[in-house]
Amino acid sequence: MDQTQINQLGDELYQAMLKREAVSPLTSRGFDISIEDAYDISLRMLQNRLDAGERVIGKKIGVTSKAVQNMLNVHQPDFGYLTDAMVYNSGEAMPISEKLMQPRAEGEIAFILKKDLTGPGVTNADVLAATECVMPCFEIIDSRIQDWKIAIQDTVADNASCGLFVLGDHAVSPRQVDLVTCGMVVEKNGQIISTGAGAAALGSPVNCVAWLANTLGQFGISLKAGEVILSGSLVPLEPVKAGDFMQVSIGGIGTASVRFT
């Protein structure tokens, strides 16, 4: 694809987000879109957000668990950028009816970095050494693509289907919890709807962060000290609507909750 096409598609996705009007899949339009093209489209979409006054505060890994890969029929991880306009505190009301179109919630473990991580060659030990703490998290993903009919290029171009996210009230050292075996319980409106464990995300959330650092390193991008890194869902995606209340509990780490309006 040429730069003009990339810019047009990135601008189209940004306008779709603002207007809350989903667009047809980019991969259905006759373009030959490579993964690299899709990331360039996502960067154009991000630049629109930055030009509007938002700032990058972290990055996310998507489509890491088999459950999510099977639900979306996308069978490799991807990544996107988090901005300060996306984050909410635990227990806070989240206005998804005003901001999102096709929201789905997923329980995750968030990593807060104290050192930069620059790939290639980042190991799990490097990730643990660079992590200040881990926190429970809900990511509320959204798609600007109609009916979630996404190929990997569609979700990559759409900033890895980023929507909003919630960080819990508790934080612990990554060395104080077994991030492979730690259990997750997700509740919706008082009912348990799913359970998972750290191993659901590429064998360990630490593997996910290492994968992200090494993948971004190929593009000359680092994970930065102070950034929030969302390491991928440990449970199936759950559609949500205004009026729902959700809570995620992670053994050894804590809880996060969110009220949707």
Side-chain angles (χ1 to χ4, degrees):
M1 299 186 72
D2 63 35
Q3 192 61 48
T4 298
Q5 292 172 319
I6 285 168
N7 290 349
Q8 287 174 343
L9 292 176
D11 292 346
E12 180 182 353
L13 288 171
Y14 178 67
Q15 289 301 317
M17 181 193 74
L18 292 182
K19 297 175 182 177
R20 297 179 62 245
E21 295 177 356
V23 300
S24 62
L26 308 188
T27 51
S28 71
R29 304 185 190 185
F31 294 117
D32 182 15
I33 303 178
S34 67
I35 297 291
E36 289 73 19
D37 290 334
Y39 281 121
D40 287 340
I41 293 167
S42 76
L43 288 174
R44 174 69 176 200
M45 185 185 184
L46 174 66
Q47 189 59 53
N48 278 298
R49 299 185 75 134
L50 300 180
D51 291 345
E54 298 180 37
R55 60 185 179 86
V56 172
I57 61 169
K59 301 176 179 78
K60 65 152 283 186
I61 308 151
V63 206
T64 53
S65 74
K66 287 297 181 185
V68 172
Q69 289 180 358
N70 291 336
M71 289 181 76
L72 298 180
N73 197 32
V74 171
H75 298 284
Q76 67 186 82
D78 64 359
F79 66 84
Y81 293 87
L82 307 175
T83 78
D84 57 341
M86 299 178 183
V87 62
Y88 287 77
N89 297 317
S90 184
E92 195 173 1
M94 179 184 284
I96 57 172
S97 58
E98 299 174 12
K99 293 183 176 291
L100 305 182
M101 288 177 280
Q102 308 176 90
R104 298 179 176 185
E106 51 188 20
E108 304 193 18
I109 296 172
F111 288 63
I112 313 300
L113 300 184
K114 60 183 178 182
K115 298 178 182 176
D116 291 0
L117 282 171
T118 305
V122 170
T123 66
N124 284 15
D126 295 330
V127 171
L128 292 174
T131 300
E132 177 72 30
C133 59
V134 292
M135 305 175 74
C137 170
F138 270 121
E139 183 185 3
I140 316 305
I141 63 172
D142 194 26
S143 182
R144 273 60 65 173
I145 305 297
Q146 291 170 350
D147 302 320
W148 280 99
K149 292 181 177 177
I150 54 174
I152 182 66
Q153 294 95 329
D154 293 300
T155 185
V156 165
D158 192 24
N159 194 31
S161 303
C162 277
L164 305 169
F165 68 99
V166 176
L167 294 176
D169 292 330
H170 302 283
V172 301
S173 165
R175 300 185 184 280
Q176 293 179 342
V177 60
D178 186 332
L179 291 168
V180 174
T181 63
C182 63
M184 172 179 287
V185 177
V186 178
E187 299 174 63
K188 180 181 180 182
N189 301 328
Q191 300 292 320
I192 294 175
I193 59 167
S194 59
T195 59
L202 300 183
S204 166
V206 182
N207 292 337
C208 297
V209 178
W211 174 88
L212 181 62
N214 289 323
T215 300
L216 286 176
Q218 299 172 25
F219 296 92
I221 301 168
S222 298
L223 306 183
K224 298 291 190 180
E227 286 191 332
V228 180
I229 309 299
L230 305 189
S231 61
S233 185
L234 306 183
V235 292
L237 306 176
E238 179 65 19
V240 291
K241 64 183 185 304
D244 287 337
F245 174 82
M246 292 190 72
Q247 179 169 290
V248 59
S249 303
I250 306 174
I253 300 179
T255 64
S257 64
V258 59
R259 293 183 294 113
F260 298 111
T261 61

